Amino acid sequence: MKSLIEISKDILTGCMDLKKEETLLVITDTLKFEIGKALYQAGLELGCESLLMSMEARSVSGEEPPEAVANAMLGADVIICPTEESLTHTSAKVEAVKKGARVGTMPGITEEMFTQGAITADFKEVEKRTLELTQMLTEANEAVIEKDGLVMRLNLQNRDGVPSTGVYRHRGSSGNLPSGEAYIAPKEDGCDGETLIDGSMVGVGTLVEPLHVTVKDGQLQKITGTGSEKLEILFTKPENGIVAELGIGTNEKALLCGNTLEDEKVYGTVHIAFGTNTSFGGKNKADCHMDGIILKPTLYLDGKKIIADGEFVY
């Protein structure tokens, strides 16, 4: 089996297209430090200017990093973030991307996830499928999720889909590592209905029973089921309970494991998230960004069936 450093080299060259003349910034925390250190060492061995910054783990996904970290991000060519909580939907990441950085975020990554599952996918195939679905999301005015007799409608008008292919070669490109999803920010007041989140949920993990979600005019009204008591942050202020995202998993190798980084990439699933969406075309800035994965959904885009009980049919 390859070492963490050898796998890190594969990720830096194959997914981030790191070049010797570039500056690599690895941002990690106290809980993911060994993975961060391996990526930093890999950068050194690949001959680039490699920097490592470690911070205290954030309390929730979407929480901003310290100002010193955010400032350092503005000067790097390639940024990779193995952290406990997600930096994907932070202003710090948005500003770094605007400066041209290529950013790969790895929230909740484990050493086990380095060697199996989504990271082992054929990313050329993942990229192709992800780009197709991203275009469909961009062109659609409405999405409808059906799950066990419940229906949720999401207004996508004038919003662009975003591809997270797991390959970030171009200036200002960013996404998760490993990856494989097409996603979009619905209109903040344009989601209505009910659904069951039955795969996993940020803040809870793998679900022992479904979470029943009710949304009106984009705002979370109620969430019930085992583990729902851990999601109080969604009700502490209105912005935290806004439906922020609709995503579609496109990675055939991804395994449901209770870690959203991988779970939301599982082929044929959809996920919705609550909270911040300003980093990908939305207007809602909140204290969190929390995803919930829906297994074996049926998904329609402008009336066309895209997924039928977890199987792509377009």
Side-chain angles (χ1 to χ4, degrees):
M1 183 181 293
K2 289 184 176 181
S3 69
L4 280 181
I5 293 175
E6 290 172 321
I7 294 168
S8 295
K9 287 181 182 178
D10 292 342
I11 291 170
L12 291 173
T13 56
C15 295
M16 302 305 300
D17 196 28
L18 180 67
K19 303 175 183 66
K20 284 186 177 181
E21 66 271 17
E22 292 185 311
T23 296
L24 167 69
L25 174 61
V26 180
I27 299 169
T28 189
D29 57 37
T30 50
L31 299 178
K32 302 299 176 185
F33 186 75
E34 291 303 314
I35 294 173
K37 187 168 69 173
L39 286 159
Y40 162 73
Q41 185 63 39
L44 290 178
E45 294 185 14
L46 288 169
C48 73
E49 187 72 71
S50 188
L51 306 172
L52 176 64
M53 297 186 78
S54 182
M55 60 186 178
E56 185 177 0
R58 305 292 87 186
S59 61
V60 67
S61 290
E63 182 181 346
E64 295 295 329
E67 185 177 357
V69 172
N71 289 338
M73 292 171 73
L74 298 176
D77 298 301
V78 174
I79 304 169
I80 193 160
C81 308
T83 55
E84 178 66 14
E85 303 293 344
S86 179
L87 298 182
T88 306
H89 304 294
T90 60
S91 297
K93 192 221 80 171
V94 173
E95 294 306 313
V97 167
K98 286 179 181 178
K99 285 280 189 178
R102 308 194 299 282
V103 183
T105 52
M106 310 178 86
I109 190 75
T110 65
E111 293 185 18
E112 186 177 35
M113 289 170 65
F114 250 57
T115 59
Q116 65 181 23
I119 202 76
T120 67
D122 179 346
F123 279 100
K124 288 185 180 178
E125 285 300 312
V126 173
E127 185 175 34
K128 177 177 180 291
R129 188 178 303 117
T130 301
L131 293 174
E132 289 175 352
L133 287 161
T134 299
Q135 186 63 32
M136 292 182 193
L137 287 172
T138 298
E139 293 174 354
N141 289 315
E142 183 185 61
V144 177
I145 302 169
E146 294 183 352
K147 172 73 177 180
D148 293 354
L150 300 176
V151 177
M152 179 173 287
R153 298 179 181 275
L154 303 96
N155 184 342
L156 310 182
Q157 289 183 351
N158 302 315
R159 294 287 171 91
D160 291 334
V162 181
S164 186
T165 64
V167 181
Y168 310 110
R169 308 183 192 93
H170 305 297
R171 179 179 170 85
S173 58
S174 66
N176 284 157
L177 287 173
S179 203
E181 66 166 309
Y183 62 102
I184 193 168
K187 288 293 193 68
E188 285 74 15
D189 61 353
C191 301
D192 291 278
E194 300 174 69
T195 194
L196 295 177
I197 295 171
D198 60 344
S200 65
M201 180 74 200
V202 170
V204 182
T206 303
L207 297 174
V208 297
E209 67 173 49
L211 295 170
H212 188 152
V213 173
T214 303
V215 173
K216 183 178 180 181
D217 297 329
Q219 185 78 48
L220 178 64
Q221 303 294 306
K222 184 169 61 174
I223 184 165
T224 58
T226 301
S228 60
E229 70 278 0
K230 299 177 182 178
L231 303 172
E232 292 179 4
I233 190 172
L234 298 179
F235 297 96
T236 57
K237 67 182 191 181
E239 292 86 348
N240 294 355
I242 292 289
V243 177
E245 177 187 357
L246 167 67
I248 304 171
T250 61
N251 188 318
E252 289 186 89
K253 295 289 188 179
L255 304 169
L256 189 76
C257 60
N259 185 314
T260 306
L261 173 64
E262 182 136 354
D263 292 352
E264 66 182 5
K265 314 307 186 305
V266 172
Y267 189 81
T269 62
V270 300
H271 57 276
I272 58 173
F274 301 95
T276 294
N277 60 11
T278 52
S279 64
F280 55 100
K283 298 180 179 180
N284 191 56
K285 180 63 177 173
D287 296 330
C288 60
H289 178 92
M290 303 180 74
D291 301 85
I293 288 78
I294 302 169
L295 304 176
K296 297 184 178 180
T298 295
L299 175 70
Y300 296 86
L301 295 177
D302 285 348
K304 179 181 179 181
K305 188 179 289 188
I306 305 300
I307 301 174
D309 297 323
E311 298 293 331
F312 286 108
V313 294
Y314 67 90

